[in-house]
Amino acid sequence: MLLVDETKGIWIKDNGKDIVLRVKPASAEGLLQQIVKPEATYSNWGLFNRFCLAIELLDQAAEVGGTGMASIYTWIRFSANKQLDWYRNSNYQSKDIAHVQKTLTEKIALVAIHNGDVEVRRLARMTLGLLPRGGGDSEQIRMGILNIMRTHGIKEGHRPGIEEKFLEEWHQKLHTNTSPEDIAICEAYLACQFSGDPGDFYRVIWENNGISKEYLENMYHPIHHAPMHLPHMIPDFQHFLWILKLTHSGADLDVSLENAKGFLDGELNYMLHDLLQHRTEWWVPGKIVEIRKRLSGYWKHGFPSRDVLLLDVALEDYFRLQLQKLDYSNLSIDDALNLIPLILENALVTEEDQELMMRLSHWSKLLSGERWTGTMPLQLLAASETLALTLAHHMDKLLKLVAPCAEAIGEACNVDQSYITNFAEESVRGQPLFVLSSVLRHVEPQLREAGGLGKWHIISQTQRQVGQVQVVSSLASVQGQAFSRPTILLSDKIDGSEDIPENIRCIIATSDVDILSHLAIRARNQQVTLACCSDLDAFSQLKELEGMRASAEPLGDGEVQLLASDEADQPALRGSSGDQPIAKLRVPPLPPKDKLVVLESEFQGIESMSSSNGVCVGPKASNLHKLKQAIGPDLYLPSSAALVLGAFERVLEEPNNGSLCVTLQELSSLVIQESLDESGVPMGLETIRQNVVEKLSFPEELRSSLKNTLLELLNGTESPPALGELELEEVVSCVLRVWASKWTDRAWLYRQARGIPDQDLLMGCLIQPVVRADYAFVLHTANPITKDTEEMFGEVVCGMGEALVGNYPGRALSFVGRSVDGSTSIHIKTLPSKRTGLFIDSDTALMVRSDSNGEDLEEFAGAGLYDSYPTVPAKEATIDYAHDPLVNTDQFREQLLEKIFAVGKKTEAAMGGVPQDIEGVVKDGAVHVVQTRPQIL
């Protein structure tokens, strides 16, 4: 935009440039287009042009946020690694390239220090580490080479002298295209001058910088000749190398210190120079962290010099390199454990990340005392697993930001596909925090052994299974797939929400699974062996059986033995995947329209259908009602209301829902015939769910009845809240989503595999006040692995139970308990390591639970097939184990588990001595039971 002050005849500019006014906000897509267009189409383009454009685009990138700065980082890294042209019909003077490099690094340094977005700061810092510093005495690059040549009588242009083709060609490049690779050329030149072997020039420049003879010969100003041996010029070229580094080096440790020393106090300068003099000593990583902590006061709070920040980047990178050189096989476990807080401290100098601070606090606390007694090995193992999840979370965020940018820029600029594919992973591996992965990989097997855990974890144990071995990346990748013959599945990943496809007899995975998660319960219910192997080398050996027939047999030591076998297929076990319906669903008649919502005093289960006149609640509601009647006030049980089985079908009969009823019938018929999406499920299922949630008309009579029932329910609570129209709408919304979950992918696939007609599945809703849980637990009153009815097995997590039953990454606290001579004996198996928990920050929230006639049955648990929703969404929060008494206070943990065990005994007795699958929560030390169902053994 041109702005002219006509009264004064002045052309108004923005710091000497035309004023730019964006008429729409900056976007990641628009930013990538501005990067890609010149890189892919301009005939005259190179480093100088790229840096000029980067200066212009930097503000837009920071405005866009992490995705914007990821574009800048990816672009500059492509350039630094010579995946983009440095000299495409483009010349410039050394003073010009030095100026734009200086301007760009100064501007990026300010973003890395002061931007309010942590991802922008992180990526700007990473970009700064890739850039040449700029500035310096740039004219001495052009004039310096001329002076050397003239001083030593080297022929230059028409000036007579020694004909040294290499220097003449290099001089032409330095004059019009000087760049950071001139440092590499100068270092290689000095190497061959010292050795006297011209071949050393090509060897050194290739080994140190990956620059080949062919590359030099094909530059815009090519170098075709090897250097002559002129050793008397060595001192002058050593000085020239320093001139080159002052302009073109970025986060070089020696050069950075030289450039930054004028900003630092005397003591810090002494510490830095002492570090460089002893840079190979064992204590260097710890000294780097100490120095960086002091240095941070300069670049974070003092004068934000790019030279000080470049020095910090160089120190951080040297820290990473030192730890990467360690031979972990010769490192004791105690020494390896001591590296963990040091690595975290180093990372926290760069960015004060709240989660990393939690992990550092936890590790510092653990390592300050005795490490190898009591539950300490389990605590250290749990802490290492949590830290691994934190590390994966941080690295995944970076990967997700840069991978799309690499694909967009790389494909447009014809970058080799293998480089694009590996780009994001290599970016992650270059992070100083990534060295944690090597330390954790080294200590975990030793911690597992010290804690009494093997490399195997059997979740569902059956008899010996025979089948064809198939390897998959994840269990989710085969959802909806029908296996024609018995199959043993080796899966790299399990997330806990999957169904187990037909004819799967055994699943072995590397990711762990909570024993009482919904997936684990389904596996045991279907008589499928499910096990996890933490030894990646052993798992790789199992993969060698891919495509072969094999037998999988759980052994007495907790390992699954997988061997090649020529046995014939075995008949399916009772209830195994591939059977027809485990139990034919009991379908009650539709209820009267004036009895669609009831309080718990009116709960009648489906087993009393003959006398209930069609008003039946689901088994969750029925079981809780039985428990409350049998046990009275001795247990904390939430008050409940329910939408009965058949309420959804009655609502569909309403005139306002006539067209929707027809639509759902048509979609249900079509969905069986339509093609599957990438997940192996019909795409029409999502359309059905959307129709139920968005288009179903909720009758006013039912709305009024629901409100009155809930008011009566809440009046019985300790602090009865008001129920306004807004809160009622949230309840209705949750009810609609629960009804729609009849058509979730896993539920539909499960019914199809077992021949259960959709119309036989009736979805009720159990509505309860939410207990704001400190902890949640699942307790099986008979051990689900050993089938021992005298031993209970339980798992506990921080926050709400979805993190447990939904198999959130990490372990739950797991324990076994039994009564011995009138007292309770509790044995801890594992301690919690889940990175996050779910929490509801409301005292008035309600939980609307799915409660169909196809779950919580004596013959079949149907765990987790259908969805439940709170009226106030749960928030995922990072768990601070350093201050959690469940982890660090033995007495608190023991007393809590004894309380849960006692609740299990009471519940089982109240339910007729039948082993129970109990879900509950703990609030302020009190144990609340929210669900119980017959346990499937």
Side-chain angles (χ1 to χ4, degrees):
M1 176 185 293
L2 302 180
L3 289 182
V4 178
D5 186 343
E6 295 183 344
T7 62
K8 299 179 180 179
I10 298 175
W11 184 358
I12 302 173
K13 291 196 171 189
D14 178 15
N15 294 320
K17 299 179 182 178
D18 291 340
I19 293 175
V20 177
L21 178 64
R22 288 198 299 274
V23 295
K24 62 180 181 180
S27 67
E29 296 78 12
L31 191 67
L32 280 170
Q33 289 173 6
Q34 293 178 79
I35 291 171
V36 163
K37 183 178 179 181
E39 293 288 355
T41 64
Y42 286 11
S43 58
N44 301 90
W45 192 255
L47 272 183
F48 178 79
N49 314 88
R50 183 171 300 126
F51 291 159
C52 288
L53 180 58
I55 293 169
E56 292 181 18
L57 297 180
L58 194 57
D59 288 340
Q60 287 187 49
E63 180 184 330
V64 170
T67 54
M69 193 54 65
S71 300
I72 298 292
Y73 164 76
T74 303
W75 180 30
I76 297 301
R77 185 178 174 98
F78 269 46
S79 174
N81 290 340
K82 295 188 175 68
Q83 299 300 311
L84 303 175
D85 292 336
W86 280 22
Y87 326 102
R88 191 192 306 158
N89 304 318
S90 175
N91 294 326
Y92 46 81
Q93 292 189 19
S94 56
K95 64 180 179 64
D96 295 327
I97 189 70
H99 173 71
V100 297
Q101 287 174 171
K102 176 177 181 288
T103 303
L104 181 56
T105 53
E106 286 178 339
K107 195 168 183 178
I108 286 185
L110 290 174
V111 174
I113 296 170
H114 295 301
N115 192 273
D117 186 323
V118 63
E119 293 299 338
V120 170
R121 291 198 302 273
R122 179 188 189 189
L123 287 156
R125 182 186 174 96
M126 291 165 57
T127 306
L128 184 66
L130 299 168
L131 287 167
R133 171 183 177 272
D137 194 357
S138 56
E139 273 298 283
Q140 280 301 310
I141 295 176
R142 186 172 62 88
M143 297 305 299
I145 189 69
L146 283 174
N147 291 335
I148 293 173
M149 293 171 73
R150 290 171 182 175
T151 298
H152 295 282
I154 306 298
K155 181 180 179 182
E156 175 251 320
H158 298 294
R159 186 186 298 272
I162 301 170
E163 190 167 351
E164 218 291 41
K165 295 285 188 180
F166 169 83
L167 287 178
E168 190 172 348
E169 291 168 342
W170 186 25
H171 157 247
Q172 292 299 320
K173 178 190 181 301
L174 288 165
H175 190 71
T176 57
N177 283 127
T178 183
S179 66
E181 65 193 3
D182 288 316
I183 296 175
I185 293 173
C186 191
E187 289 174 336
Y189 178 79
L190 284 168
C192 79
Q193 295 305 316
F194 278 111
S195 70
D197 181 359
D200 277 350
F201 172 79
Y202 294 109
R203 179 184 62 80
V204 170
I205 201 169
W206 171 255
E207 290 179 355
N208 293 350
N209 299 278
I211 297 176
S212 66
K213 184 174 185 290
E214 292 73 22
Y215 177 84
L216 293 169
E217 292 174 348
N218 287 283
M219 291 190 301
Y220 187 55
H221 287 285
I223 296 176
H224 294 287
H225 296 84
M228 293 173 61
H229 185 222
L230 301 170
H232 61 285
M233 298 171 62
I234 287 176
D236 285 344
F237 272 103
Q238 287 176 324
H239 177 68
F240 187 64
L241 174 60
W242 184 253
I243 292 171
L244 288 169
K245 285 186 173 183
L246 285 176
T247 295
H248 290 311
S249 70
D252 175 277
L253 189 52
D254 296 88
V255 179
S256 296
L257 175 55
E258 186 64 25
N259 290 326
K261 65 182 182 181
F263 298 101
L264 312 177
D265 63 73
E267 185 178 359
L268 188 52
N269 266 310
Y270 172 80
M271 293 172 68
L272 283 158
H273 282 96
D274 184 62
L275 174 74
L276 294 186
Q277 290 174 11
H278 301 89
R279 66 182 73 195
T280 59
E281 296 291 339
W282 65 268
W283 46 261
V284 163
K287 181 60 68 173
I288 288 176
V289 175
E290 180 185 347
I291 290 173
R292 289 192 65 222
K293 287 180 179 178
R294 291 192 56 168
L295 190 63
S296 66
Y298 286 89
W299 63 267
K300 285 185 178 180
H301 310 297
F303 180 72
S305 162
R306 82 187 193 284
D307 289 321
V308 175
L309 186 55
L310 279 168
L311 174 59
D312 187 64
V313 172
L315 286 166
E316 186 179 37
D317 195 51
Y318 194 67
F319 177 91
R320 175 182 63 85
L321 292 173
Q322 290 300 103
L323 289 186
Q324 283 180 339
K325 292 177 183 177
L326 287 176
D327 181 2
Y328 290 99
S329 63
N330 291 324
L331 204 63
S332 73
I333 186 169
D334 282 300
D335 287 340
L337 290 173
N338 289 337
L339 287 175
I340 292 173
L342 184 67
I343 296 170
L344 290 171
E345 284 184 57
N346 182 64
L348 285 166
V349 175
T350 304
E351 192 64 58
E352 294 180 356
D353 181 273
Q354 190 67 33
E355 184 172 349
L356 292 181
M357 291 172 69
M358 287 181 187
R359 303 300 170 239
L360 174 60
S361 175
H362 191 198
W363 274 99
S364 299
K365 194 170 187 176
L366 288 174
L367 297 180
S368 64
E370 174 58 50
R371 302 181 184 182
W372 306 112
T373 59
T375 62
M376 282 305 299
L378 290 177
Q379 289 195 47
L380 289 167
L381 175 61
S384 71
E385 292 172 341
T386 308
L387 185 54
L389 292 171
T390 294
L391 177 63
H393 174 70
H394 276 66
M395 296 300 118
D396 284 349
K397 285 195 297 184
L398 175 60
L399 189 143
K400 289 174 183 177
L401 284 171
V402 301
C405 301
E407 291 195 14
I409 297 174
E411 290 176 5
C413 299
N414 295 317
V415 174
D416 185 84
Q417 185 58 49
S418 62
Y419 181 85
I420 298 172
T421 301
N422 295 321
F423 179 85
E425 184 178 343
E426 291 303 316
S427 297
V428 164
R429 288 180 174 276
Q431 298 304 298
L433 192 59
F434 187 79
V435 294
L436 261 179
S437 62
S438 298
V439 180
L440 295 174
R441 191 163 55 248
H442 173 67
V443 302
E444 186 179 343
Q446 298 175 73
L447 291 175
R448 291 178 66 87
E449 183 178 355
L453 301 176
K455 62 186 178 182
W456 285 86
H457 185 203
I458 296 181
I459 312 300
S460 171
Q461 181 169 316
T462 64
Q463 65 186 42
R464 189 165 179 267
Q465 303 276 20
V466 176
Q468 185 103 2
V469 177
Q470 181 169 333
V471 177
V472 296
S473 60
S474 67
L475 183 56
S477 68
V478 293
Q479 292 299 281
Q481 184 173 329
F483 291 82
S484 59
R485 59 187 306 178
T487 300
I488 296 171
L489 209 62
L490 304 182
S491 175
D492 290 318
K493 181 181 178 183
I494 292 176
D495 65 31
S497 64
E498 309 93 339
D499 190 27
I500 300 175
E502 181 179 353
N503 261 330
I504 297 296
R505 299 294 176 83
C506 173
I507 301 172
I508 301 174
T510 55
S511 55
D512 214 343
V513 177
D514 292 317
I515 287 181
L516 302 185
S517 66
H518 285 326
L519 175 64
I521 293 172
R522 288 178 212 145
R524 291 191 290 271
N525 189 49
Q526 296 171 218
Q527 293 291 289
V528 172
T529 298
L530 175 60
C532 301
C533 177
S534 62
D535 187 330
L536 297 182
D537 292 334
F539 191 72
S540 295
Q541 293 177 3
L542 298 182
K543 286 183 175 181
E544 294 176 3
L545 294 171
E546 182 176 14
M548 301 172 61
R549 289 186 56 72
S551 63
E553 183 174 10
L555 304 179
D557 60 358
E559 182 174 343
V560 175
Q561 185 179 64
L562 190 65
L563 298 173
S565 172
D566 57 2
E567 293 180 56
D569 289 344
Q570 298 173 333
L573 302 175
R574 179 193 68 81
S576 69
S577 181
D579 279 351
Q580 288 304 304
I582 295 169
K584 183 175 175 59
L585 301 187
R586 300 186 66 184
V587 184
L590 294 185
K593 290 186 178 181
D594 60 350
K595 278 289 185 181
L596 301 186
V597 56
V598 295
L599 280 168
E600 59 187 338
S601 59
E602 301 176 81
F603 285 2
Q604 296 186 77
I606 202 166
E607 69 281 356
S608 58
M609 184 170 61
S610 59
S611 61
S612 69
N613 196 26
V615 181
C616 297
V617 295
K620 287 180 181 146
S622 177
N623 289 334
L624 273 181
H625 185 53
K626 287 180 191 174
L627 180 60
K628 184 171 284 191
Q629 286 183 317
I631 211 164
D634 289 346
L635 277 182
Y636 289 102
L637 295 167
S639 301
S640 305
L643 276 90
V644 302
L645 298 175
F648 171 68
E649 287 71 19
R650 281 297 193 203
V651 170
L652 269 182
E653 292 176 351
E654 292 290 319
N656 289 346
N657 292 318
S659 60
L660 177 61
C661 184
V662 173
T663 300
L664 292 180
Q665 290 173 350
E666 292 174 349
L667 287 171
S668 296
S669 299
L670 291 172
V671 83
I672 299 174
Q673 308 166 22
E674 70 176 15
S675 59
L676 307 180
D677 64 14
E678 294 179 356
S679 304
V681 297
M683 292 175 282
L685 290 175
E686 184 176 356
T687 305
I688 294 176
R689 295 194 297 269
Q690 287 176 344
N691 272 275
V692 172
V693 172
E694 298 172 6
K695 297 183 178 179
L696 185 69
S697 175
F698 204 83
E700 285 302 319
E701 296 83 356
L702 179 56
R703 189 185 302 268
S704 176
S705 177
L706 179 60
K707 180 177 181 179
N708 293 334
T709 302
L710 292 179
L711 284 172
E712 191 171 346
L713 168 71
L714 296 173
N715 282 335
T717 60
E718 186 174 330
S719 302
L723 186 68
E725 291 303 317
L726 181 61
E727 291 80 8
L728 182 61
E729 285 306 312
E730 290 169 350
V731 176
V732 171
S733 174
C734 291
V735 168
L736 293 175
R737 284 184 286 166
V738 170
W739 283 345
S741 73
K742 174 177 176 177
W743 290 277
T744 59
D745 299 347
R746 60 183 180 272
W748 187 88
L749 289 170
Y750 186 88
R751 293 196 301 273
Q752 289 298 306
R754 287 149 186 82
I756 300 174
D758 276 1
Q759 62 269 22
D760 283 2
L761 193 286
L762 302 183
M763 181 63 69
C765 297
L766 173 63
I767 305 175
Q768 301 169 316
V770 170
V771 180
R772 292 179 64 179
D774 300 321
Y775 307 102
F777 68 88
V778 175
L779 181 69
H780 282 197
T781 60
N783 190 311
I785 305 300
T786 64
K787 315 300 183 186
D788 184 350
T789 58
E790 298 300 316
E791 181 176 75
M792 296 189 191
F793 183 93
E795 291 183 323
V796 185
V797 295
C798 298
M800 297 183 65
E802 180 56 32
L804 171 56
V805 297
N807 198 48
Y808 275 44
R811 293 179 188 267
L813 181 152
S814 62
F815 70 97
V816 292
R818 63 171 62 239
S819 295
V820 178
D821 297 329
S823 62
T824 301
S825 172
I826 300 291
H827 174 64
I828 305 294
K829 306 283 284 185
T830 62
L831 287 171
S833 64
K834 294 184 184 294
R835 177 183 153 265
T836 59
L838 292 172
F839 300 87
I840 289 182
D841 187 19
S842 171
D843 291 320
T844 61
L846 296 171
M847 179 66 74
V848 182
R849 302 184 186 277
S850 61
D851 198 10
S852 75
N853 63 333
E855 53 190 316
D856 290 8
L857 308 175
E858 287 195 19
E859 304 91 346
F860 170 59
L865 290 178
Y866 307 102
D867 296 336
S868 301
Y869 295 95
T871 56
V872 176
K875 295 180 180 178
E876 192 169 319
T878 306
I879 300 172
D880 182 4
Y881 289 115
H883 301 97
D884 194 315
L886 184 67
V887 172
N888 56 41
T889 306
D890 291 344
Q891 184 179 6
F892 174 88
R893 181 173 56 246
E894 184 177 341
Q895 290 176 351
L896 176 61
L897 299 183
E898 287 178 352
K899 287 181 183 179
I900 292 173
F901 179 85
V903 164
K905 295 286 284 186
K906 288 181 181 179
T907 302
E908 183 180 84
M911 299 302 282
V914 176
Q916 294 293 297
D917 172 357
I918 304 165
E919 294 183 24
V921 298
V922 178
K923 175 64 176 173
D924 297 330
V927 179
H928 302 250
V929 173
V930 297
Q931 289 188 55
T932 189
R933 59 174 72 90
Q935 182 183 342
I936 307 300
L937 290 174

